[in-house]
Structure formats: structure tokens, C-alpha cells
Amino acid sequence: MRLTQKQSSTSLDDWWAQLWALRISTVTPSSRVKLKFFEFVRDRCAEVGCWRIMDDDLGRLFSDFMDELDD
């Protein structure tokens, strides 16, 4: 199933909220960090031409994003 960018954004927003509330159990970082992560994910989706986002993909992308922050 191929998702639209809008559907992907909704899924991404849900995942972001679950990450901080349920998995890490802490407050979310600033909205600026969230927007940077969303942009990071959108860039990766655009690179491969697919907007299908799975939970495992987001976990890997989040790790990649964190690594990129260190650069």
C-alpha cells in the first residue's frame, strides 16, 4: 500500500507521540526537533520515492537522525 504524504505525516506524528509517551516515557523535545526529524524522514522517503512508513523503518530513521545530530 502506498501512502500519500499527508497520510505519512499523520502516521509519523502518531509514532512521534508514542515514542516519547509510551516507549521512552519522558517529555517530548522542542517542536523544532520534531520538525527537523519529520523533515529528515520526508527527505529519506523522497530519496527512495516511497511514502510507506513502517514502525521498524521509523526506529532506524530515528537512530540515523540522532547520529546525524552528532555530526
Side-chain angles (χ1 to χ4, degrees):
M1 174 175 64
R2 192 171 194 138
L3 301 175
T4 65
Q5 281 182 289
K6 183 173 172 68
Q7 289 169 320
S8 293
S9 291
T10 300
S11 296
L12 185 55
D13 199 50
D14 290 346
W15 184 87
W16 182 260
Q18 289 176 15
L19 171 68
W20 298 101
L22 302 175
R23 297 177 188 187
I24 298 176
S25 299
T26 191
V27 297
T28 59
S30 72
S31 60
R32 190 173 63 112
V33 174
K34 175 183 173 180
L35 294 175
K36 284 184 176 187
F37 177 65
F38 283 24
E39 182 179 343
F40 180 85
V41 171
R42 287 184 190 110
D43 289 348
R44 297 310 166 274
C45 288
E47 284 175 8
V48 298
C50 181
W51 295 96
R52 183 177 184 186
I53 302 173
M54 306 300 288
D55 190 68
D56 289 344
D57 299 327
L58 288 171
R60 283 189 293 277
L61 287 170
F62 186 74
S63 292
D64 292 346
F65 173 73
M66 296 300 292
D67 286 343
E68 191 171 286
L69 290 177
D70 188 40
D71 289 344

